[in-house]
Amino acid sequence: NNIVLSIAEDAEGSIWIGTDGGGLDQLRKVSFNTYGSESGLSDDYVRTVIGDGAGGLWTGTNGGVSHWRNGEFSNLIARSGLKNNVVRSLYLDHEKALWIGTDGGGASRLKDGKFTLFGTKSGWPSNVIMGFAEDANNHLWIGTSDGLVEIDGSTERTYTTRDGLPSNVILDVVATHAGFLWI
C-alpha cells in the first residue's frame, strides 16, 4: 500500500513501515517482506510501529496490538484485556511499560503482563488517545482529542485551551533531548 502511517527502525537495522490497509512492510538490506493478517498480524491497517527495546517490534493496528518477536506475531486484543482494538499510538516508557492509546477506549499500560487502564473514568479529558512522550524528568505527556495530560509520578494534570494551548485536539507529543515539548 502506498499510504504510509508509521515508520520505525529495529535493533538489526531493518525499517518497518505500517500502511493503510496493506499490512506491515519490512525493508531488510535491499529486500522487502510484507506481513499482514494472513501472517498473524492483528489487522492490515497499521497505525503505529515501535521497537520493543529487546530486538522485537510492537505494532498498533485497527485490530489490536501485535508483537513481532523471533519471526512470529503474538496479539493483544480486547479479549486479552486491551480496552479497545483500534490502536492509535504506542509508547515504551523508562520502566519498559508499554502504553497503548486507543480510539475511544482510553489508554492501557502493559507492565509485567498486567494491564492498567486510564481514561475519562480516571479523570482524563478523553478516551481518544493520540500520542505519548516522556520528558527528561520522566513525566509522561499524553495527547488526547480533548487536551494534554501530564503524569508526574502519582499526580496528573490536564492542559487545554484555557491554559494557553491553541487547540484541545493534540495529535502528537514529542519531548526533545534539549528539554522542549513539541505538541
Side-chain angles (χ1 to χ4, degrees):
N1 189 300
N2 288 334
I3 300 175
V4 174
L5 300 175
S6 57
I7 299 174
E9 183 177 7
D10 70 16
E12 297 175 351
S14 290
I15 304 298
W16 293 85
I17 304 160
T19 68
D20 180 4
L24 183 67
D25 293 320
Q26 177 192 29
L27 174 59
R28 186 180 177 125
K29 297 183 182 177
V30 295
S31 64
F32 275 97
N33 296 314
T34 299
Y35 302 95
S37 54
E38 74 284 347
S39 305
L41 186 67
S42 60
D43 191 82
D44 290 333
Y45 190 99
V46 180
R47 292 179 183 263
T48 183
V49 180
I50 64 168
D52 70 359
L57 189 79
W58 291 103
T59 60
T61 75
N62 275 3
V65 175
S66 293
H67 188 217
W68 173 263
R69 185 99 175 127
N70 299 322
E72 294 183 4
F73 288 106
S74 59
N75 297 308
L76 300 171
I77 57 176
R79 289 190 311 259
S80 310
L82 191 63
K83 190 66 175 164
N84 183 309
N85 282 338
V86 179
V87 176
R88 289 186 165 270
S89 55
L90 296 170
Y91 187 79
L92 200 60
D93 70 15
H94 73 281
E95 295 179 339
K96 303 296 183 213
L98 179 67
W99 289 83
I100 305 163
T102 68
D103 190 10
S108 298
R109 180 180 187 264
L110 178 63
K111 177 75 174 162
D112 299 326
K114 296 182 182 179
F115 284 104
T116 306
L117 305 176
F118 299 86
T120 55
K121 288 184 179 179
S122 58
W124 290 14
S126 173
N127 281 328
V128 178
I129 311 302
M130 312 288 233
F132 300 94
E134 192 171 27
D135 65 22
N137 296 317
N138 297 331
H139 294 209
L140 187 67
W141 298 86
I142 303 101
T144 78
S145 64
D146 200 24
L148 178 68
V149 176
E150 174 190 15
I151 300 177
D152 172 14
S154 61
T155 304
E156 296 181 12
R157 178 165 181 207
T158 298
Y159 300 90
T160 65
T161 53
R162 292 184 306 268
D163 301 297
L165 290 175
S167 172
N168 285 339
V169 179
I170 310 299
L171 296 177
D172 205 357
V173 186
V174 176
T176 69
H177 295 292
F180 293 101
L181 192 67
W182 290 91
I183 303 166

